Amino acid sequence: HYFHHPMRFLWAVPLCLSVLAGFGVNRVVCRAREGNKGGDLALCACLAALCAVLYAGKRYHFPWIEGVPLSSVAVRQTAPYYFTALVLGIAALSGRCRGNLAAAALACLVVFESYQNAGSIEYFDAGSKYAVPDTVRFLKREAGLHRFVTYNQRVHDYPPRFMDADSVPLIYPELSNYFQLYDIQCRGPLHIRRYDSLMKALGRGYEFVLDLVAYNPRVRDLGSPVLDLFGVKYVVSKGELDVPRRMLYDLFGETSARRGAPVVISAREQITADQIVIKSYLEGAADAVQGQAVALLSFWRDGRRVAEAPLVAGVHTSEVFDLNDAQRRGAVKHGKADAWETWKEWTDEGHAMTGAFYRGIVDLGREVSFDRMDVHYLPDGGCLTFTQILYRPGGWRKTLDDMRRRFRPVFRDPSRDIVIYVNTDALPRAFLVGEVEVARSGEEALERLLDGSVHLSERVILEEDPPPWFVRAHGAAPFAGEAEITRYSPNRIEFESRANAPSFLFVSDIHYPGWETLVDGAPAKTYLADYAFRAVPLPPGGHRVVMRFRPWSVALGAGVSLVAALILVAGIIAESVRGARRLRSCGQRRPRSTTIRPSSLM
């Protein structure tokens, strides 16, 4: 699992652990051959019993074992490997196999287990995962160095589940690297603070950390100038592009509203909406008939109720589990709403149940301004559970007109309901600008960037003064010149440019320590531009610019790794020499004792 995102370098951790475990097993076997084996055999028996208890508890959902921070999927998948390792260890202790064989087998098993089960993943269809859909073919043919984002209207972002039916045609962020495409929605453990701030702005202040190791920024504001500055030329959309909903409430867990105990949701500020989208399910409300109002949404402004809207069973929400599962839930009197997300659970008897969150789109009939929303549950029994509430902002018709002007459809895949739009306002990955604006701080630079008042194609925002020879242009800047990327790789970028006046070469790649710039072969300073990007000052004329990544940390890490490898090799050689000496000493035969029988006296 970790091999598919930037944490793939951690393969060295289970490798080193497995080597150490192999040495440990070998040492235990050697000690057992020299003395008492009872303690080591007892230890193996305890480990086997512990594995059996964890497996049984997770497999049959014992309440007293559910609190153990280990997923049932990981237990089921790893049990055969650990069981095999225990058998090899017991066999080695009993003298039925050599210790070296047991150590090597254990090392291989640990490496295999770590590769297959890190993060308690599930098995997937690799053929479907790495399939090349028509969206990929189009982008590889047309996008070049331009970036893209994916947008799923149904879940308000790209698919949250890796093997979701939409993940491959929408090009999940992990797949963009595999297909050699450029997606700003990168997913990984590396957090660059200024990049995170820009993505939060695109996501309207929302970010999500998955499993504490993978960072999932979500693009929700398709009208932001940041999208143009990143050079996002294509938007891969599930269905026709519509006005993005904004987040009113979101919770990593779940919240339940019961009769007499409403859930109160306070907005950060007064908002205006004409439509509410709620992600929810009913539990214990099987008797609610089709069309019955099971909850009431009430909206308040300045302490006064201004509107109400019902949440209807079978239309906006439904019973959580499969309606046909009469064994578990009995007969359900309402139908299914539009599913937002589904999953499977198993009963104690091993029967599978299909659960779902449902998408309830509630039209308010008019634009309502409010600062608080209450969710009242109406039936006597059961509850309404929800995790997310979105809203369509007021003035959405004007926003839709602007989006239709800005985004033009250029590709359709009807079989997967995929539409690719070209962003006509996207800026190139690199271009020249003739005007400079200096901000007093990073916060001011971000504010100027987001308010839309700066023409980003003509002016660059710095956080320090430009070099003395640079003359700022006043008023309307003339055509600054042109720049072209002649080579682009992860560690080196080359440009050919021609500046008509003192200009800055702006590059929409993130500013990061370790990047150095050469202008016509001479070192040049790289400025932090437009809050998070790079810019290099250029005098008039033609120039060849090279940016290369040469951080000191790489050289230091390479040196440490080389020293560690030499120490490891030296240790292995020394251990082999000592082992050979022990074998020779054990193989020397003692001189045979000669018995001289006295001859018979003649």
Side-chain angles (χ1 to χ4, degrees):
H1 176 64
Y2 287 142
F3 278 59
H4 300 297
H5 61 64
M7 290 192 73
R8 57 185 175 272
F9 65 89
L10 287 181
W11 68 271
V13 175
L15 177 62
C16 296
L17 292 177
S18 63
V19 171
L20 293 176
F23 279 121
V25 170
N26 192 46
R27 183 59 59 88
V28 168
V29 171
C30 291
R31 286 194 306 107
R33 288 176 176 174
E34 296 172 359
N36 184 15
K37 305 177 183 178
D40 297 316
L41 289 172
L43 176 61
C44 289
C46 291
L47 291 175
L50 178 61
C51 290
V53 169
L54 287 175
Y55 177 78
K58 290 292 184 178
R59 173 65 179 83
Y60 298 104
H61 307 285
F62 293 159
W64 48 271
I65 206 70
E66 288 299 320
V68 177
L70 186 66
S71 73
S72 58
V73 174
V75 171
R76 288 196 297 270
Q77 292 180 357
T78 58
Y81 312 141
Y82 285 114
F83 178 76
T84 305
L86 286 171
V87 170
L88 285 172
I90 294 173
L93 290 173
S94 62
R96 297 183 180 277
C97 72
R98 296 183 60 84
N100 292 334
L101 174 61
L106 178 61
C108 293
L109 287 170
V110 172
V111 171
F112 184 72
E113 181 275 332
S114 301
Y115 174 79
Q116 288 282 43
N117 301 284
S120 65
I121 64 169
E122 298 179 1
Y123 290 114
F124 52 81
D125 180 3
S128 299
K129 171 184 174 183
Y130 292 108
V132 181
D134 294 336
T135 51
V136 171
R137 296 189 181 95
F138 175 84
L139 290 176
K140 288 182 72 67
R141 183 176 67 250
E142 301 292 336
L145 292 178
H146 290 287
R147 296 186 175 101
F148 74 97
V149 295
T150 57
Y151 184 81
N152 192 332
Q153 299 283 123
R154 294 172 57 83
V155 297
H156 200 58
D157 53 14
Y158 51 78
R161 292 185 177 274
F162 185 76
M163 285 313 297
D164 186 276
D166 298 331
S167 61
V168 173
L170 274 174
I171 315 176
Y172 196 80
E174 290 181 356
L175 297 180
S176 59
N177 289 335
Y178 177 79
F179 292 130
Q180 297 181 345
L181 297 171
Y182 299 97
D183 181 1
I184 67 172
Q185 296 165 278
C186 63
R187 180 176 182 267
L190 179 62
H191 287 257
I192 303 175
R193 183 177 61 83
R194 297 207 172 199
Y195 165 80
D196 291 353
S197 298
L198 290 177
M199 297 309 299
K200 287 176 68 175
L202 285 174
R204 297 193 177 275
Y206 181 79
E207 62 180 339
F208 180 51
V209 179
L210 177 64
D211 294 339
L212 302 181
V213 297
Y215 180 61
N216 273 2
R218 300 179 174 184
V219 173
R220 287 189 169 93
D221 189 0
L222 296 179
S224 172
V226 177
L227 209 68
D228 303 333
L229 196 61
F230 263 116
V232 175
K233 189 173 182 179
Y234 296 97
V235 177
V236 183
S237 173
K238 179 69 173 179
E240 300 290 335
L241 205 59
D242 198 357
V243 176
R245 272 79 169 181
R246 297 183 182 179
M247 187 66 62
L248 174 62
Y249 175 83
D250 192 23
L251 186 67
F252 185 74
E254 300 174 351
T255 298
S256 297
R258 303 178 184 275
R259 185 175 178 86
V263 176
V264 178
I265 301 171
S266 298
R268 297 179 181 177
E269 57 187 2
Q270 182 171 300
I271 61 178
T272 301
D274 71 338
Q275 187 183 86
I276 298 294
V277 183
I278 182 169
K279 177 182 179 180
S280 69
Y281 62 73
L282 294 171
E283 190 167 14
D287 291 335
V289 298
Q290 179 73 18
Q292 175 184 344
V294 292
L296 186 66
L297 309 181
S298 58
F299 303 88
W300 301 74
R301 183 178 67 245
D302 299 330
R304 183 171 59 88
R305 186 165 53 192
V306 294
E308 290 182 341
L311 204 67
V312 178
V315 177
H316 301 136
T317 189
S318 300
E319 188 73 10
V320 56
F321 289 108
D322 192 344
L323 304 182
N324 297 324
D325 188 2
Q327 295 178 346
R328 178 80 177 183
R329 294 287 165 178
V332 178
K333 298 180 180 179
H334 57 264
K336 285 187 178 182
D338 186 18
W340 188 318
E341 177 185 345
T342 61
W343 70 90
K344 284 188 179 294
E345 290 188 11
W346 284 264
T347 65
D348 295 338
E349 297 79 17
H351 299 297
M353 301 184 300
T354 302
F357 276 101
Y358 297 97
R359 180 183 300 102
I361 302 178
V362 182
D363 288 316
L364 304 181
R366 59 185 177 89
E367 291 190 353
V368 178
S369 298
F370 62 94
D371 53 27
R372 193 187 93 189
M373 188 184 84
D374 297 349
V375 181
H376 299 266
Y377 183 69
L378 302 179
D380 293 331
C383 64
L384 173 73
T385 299
F386 57 93
T387 63
Q388 193 176 94
I389 299 178
L390 311 173
Y391 69 94
R392 186 169 64 183
W396 63 272
R397 289 180 175 83
K398 181 180 181 303
T399 304
L400 182 60
D401 291 340
D402 293 341
M403 290 177 62
R404 288 174 175 172
R405 175 201 61 80
R406 186 180 181 190
F407 299 101
R408 179 171 52 86
V410 292
F411 172 83
R412 296 180 186 273
D413 182 359
S415 63
R416 296 183 173 94
D417 193 24
I418 298 294
V419 184
I420 299 181
Y421 293 83
V422 61
N423 178 13
T424 57
D425 293 343
L427 297 174
R429 290 283 291 267
F431 56 91
L432 296 180
V433 293
E435 289 189 359
V436 170
E437 178 178 328
V438 179
R440 294 187 297 270
S441 64
E443 290 72 17
E444 180 182 343
L446 180 61
E447 182 180 353
R448 296 285 292 140
L449 182 66
L450 297 177
D451 63 16
S453 61
V454 178
H455 294 285
L456 299 175
S457 61
E458 301 175 357
R459 179 179 299 180
V460 65
I461 304 173
L462 305 180
E463 297 176 34
E464 58 180 309
D465 291 330
W469 56 264
F470 186 88
V471 179
R472 302 190 197 185
H474 297 278
F479 177 66
E482 55 187 12
E484 179 185 2
I485 299 177
T486 57
R487 176 187 175 186
Y488 191 93
S489 64
N491 298 322
R492 185 182 179 92
I493 313 174
E494 298 180 4
F495 310 85
E496 293 289 343
S497 65
R498 176 164 294 280
N500 299 330
S503 307
F504 269 86
L505 171 63
F506 175 85
V507 183
S508 63
D509 285 2
I510 298 298
H511 189 282
Y512 194 77
W515 281 96
E516 60 181 33
T517 304
L518 302 175
V519 177
D520 298 327
K525 181 177 180 178
T526 304
Y527 284 77
L528 181 63
D530 289 349
Y531 183 69
F533 303 97
R534 308 177 207 158
V536 180
L538 299 177
H543 303 283
R544 181 177 182 270
V545 182
V546 176
M547 290 184 176
R548 57 189 183 184
F549 189 56
R550 289 189 175 182
W552 64 268
S553 56
V554 172
L556 178 62
V560 172
S561 299
L562 179 60
V563 172
L566 293 176
I567 293 175
L568 178 62
V569 171
I572 293 174
I573 293 175
E575 182 68 20
S576 300
V577 171
R578 285 195 296 269
R581 288 176 179 174
R582 286 196 298 268
L583 287 176
R584 285 198 297 270
S585 64
C586 294
Q588 291 177 356
R589 295 185 177 182
R590 296 179 180 178
R592 294 181 179 179
S593 59
T594 304
T595 304
I596 302 176
R597 297 180 179 178
S599 57
S600 308
L601 293 177
M602 298 298 296

